[in-house]
Amino acid sequence: MEYIPVIILVLSFISLLLIGVPVAWSIAISSLLTMMVSIPTLPALTTVSQRIGTGLDSFALLAIPFFVLSGQLMNKGGIAHRLIAFAKTLVGSLPGGLALINIISAMLMGAIAGSAMASASAMGSILGPEMEKEGYSKEFGAAVNITSSTTGLIIPPSNVLIVYSLASGGVSIAALFLAGYIPGILTGLFLMIVASFWAKKKKYKVGKRSSLKEVVKTFIDAFPSLMLLVVVIGGIVTGIFTATEASAIAVLYTLVLGFWYKEISVKDIPQILLDSCGTTAIVMLLIGASMSMSWIMSYENIPQDISSLLLGVSDNPIIILLIINLLLLFVGIFMDMTPAVLIFTPIFLPIITKLGMDPVQFGIVMVLNLCIGLCTPPVGSVLFVGVGIANTTIEKVVKPLLPLFVSMIIALFLVTYIPGLTLWLPKLFGL
């Protein structure tokens, strides 16, 4: 009898996903069905509704709509063009130069906009046609764009890290933001190495070397955009403002920047606000539904059961972390990142705490792991955006994607087993 709630939760959730029910509603309905096993229908409905509401009752979550809005303003404000121009002067003359430009620009754009899909959309639209014109295959261009776009979810500011802070019971957002820099840059470097080797093998065209004057000019042009990272992260780390306050400052900064670059006008604002509201509504519904499922799992003692099961398999931290990583890789294939973080953090956090792993490190490991899921079918949102913009198919993109996947997995395991990669910067700043 004790396993019936678990069976109903898992089977109903998977069944709803298979018949095409949206993820948020699949989570909410399967949570409701599970509660109805333990208590009558009316209290079950009340409990799930209440948990969806209280799940959104968090000051930290106010940062998400603001960061979404700042990302929309950045996307419309001509930031991508300036970042690409700057990246072109740095790596344009190396083998696979345009692919490397895509990766560096995506790292910068993703970090500034805080959205993998915004980065994939911007980079794919601008660099995709240029790469094709220079002889690159559209499938290779799409693969590079898809994988590199996820680095901005690790390099702060990142909405997903804020969600992890909420799910983990209050891990420092400032510490998580600082912890994301080295793993994010490391992942980007591995992607660049693979892209460069692939481009050299395929003998893609190499661009001309930029002069120091061109580098300085493009850097000055991109400097105001890059300063957003300094303002936001610097303010959070030094304690001048919280992550939520930083998100509001980011909106003000990007709005001023958009008008300064003359890429945004007053008539563009209503559409930007509407787009931001739509994205925020989707994210918040996912968060609310996921928080209800997380509470129900706790009510049914599922995290404790899984913890006992895993620790019963082995007491070797290396083996347990390997199993958790494999489980999260599997979860990322079928579930969007936000609900996955909210549902599985309460399950795995007690386990890694018993193993002596820092919750900050685990947050980065979890997000980096789930980033790979964004690039895989059937729920890989970034995969579908990248393939759609490149006007190709998933089947054709798989071949150039595979070596890039391998590089991301290598980065994941390095971050998992070398704590210094994530904890060095937070410790340096006393967090």
Side-chain angles (χ1 to χ4, degrees), residues 8 64 76 82 93-94 125 132 140 144 180 182 189 216 267 278 283 312 322 340 348 360 407:
I8 290 174
I64 292 178
K76 305 284 185 182
R82 288 163 176 81
S93 61
L94 297 175
S125 301
E132 202 173 341
F140 173 68
V144 169
I182 293 175
L189 286 173
V216 172
K267 67 179 182 180
V283 172
L322 177 63
F348 293 134
V360 171
S407 69

Side-chain angles (χ1 to χ4, degrees), residues 44 67 88 196 198 216 276 282 302 333 347 361 371 417:
F67 276 131
K88 195 170 187 177
S196 189
W198 184 279
V216 172
S276 300
I282 293 167
I302 294 173
I333 293 173
I347 292 175
Q361 182 191 359
C371 280
Y417 295 112

Side-chain angles (χ1 to χ4, degrees), residues 38-213:
S38 303
I39 58 177
T41 303
L42 186 59
L45 278 165
T46 306
T47 302
V48 171
S49 302
Q50 183 189 49
R51 288 298 154 184
I52 289 174
T54 54
L56 298 174
D57 185 16
S58 169
F59 181 71
L61 285 180
L62 278 174
I64 292 178
F66 282 121
F67 276 131
V68 167
L69 178 55
S70 69
Q72 288 285 349
L73 288 166
M74 278 286 181
N75 206 21
K76 305 284 185 182
I79 306 304
H81 292 279
R82 288 163 176 81
L83 294 176
I84 288 170
F86 175 51
K88 195 170 187 177
T89 61
L90 295 177
V91 295
S93 61
L94 297 175
L98 282 175
L100 304 187
I101 291 166
N102 193 321
I103 294 168
I104 291 178
S105 301
M107 289 167 69
L108 294 172
M109 180 69 182
I112 292 170
S115 167
M117 286 196 287
S119 176
S121 177
M123 296 303 125
S125 301
I126 298 166
L127 277 172
E130 191 172 342
M131 290 179 77
E132 202 173 341
K133 190 171 71 176
E134 292 293 327
Y136 289 76
S137 72
K138 63 170 69 175
E139 288 74 27
F140 173 68
V144 169
N145 184 36
I146 289 162
T147 49
S148 62
S149 296
T150 62
T151 56
L153 297 175
I154 313 161
I155 302 171
S158 168
N159 288 338
V160 181
L161 292 178
I162 295 171
V163 171
Y164 172 79
S165 174
L166 174 71
S168 62
V171 172
S172 167
I173 294 175
L176 286 167
F177 278 7
L178 283 175
Y181 274 110
I182 293 175
I185 293 169
L186 182 70
T187 304
L189 286 173
F190 281 177
L191 290 173
M192 289 172 71
I193 291 168
V194 171
S196 189
F197 273 111
W198 184 279
K200 202 169 183 179
K201 180 183 174 183
K202 298 291 182 179
K203 297 181 180 176
Y204 290 138
K205 189 177 177 181
V206 178
K208 65 175 184 176
R209 187 181 296 275
S210 300
S211 65
L212 180 61
K213 184 179 177 181

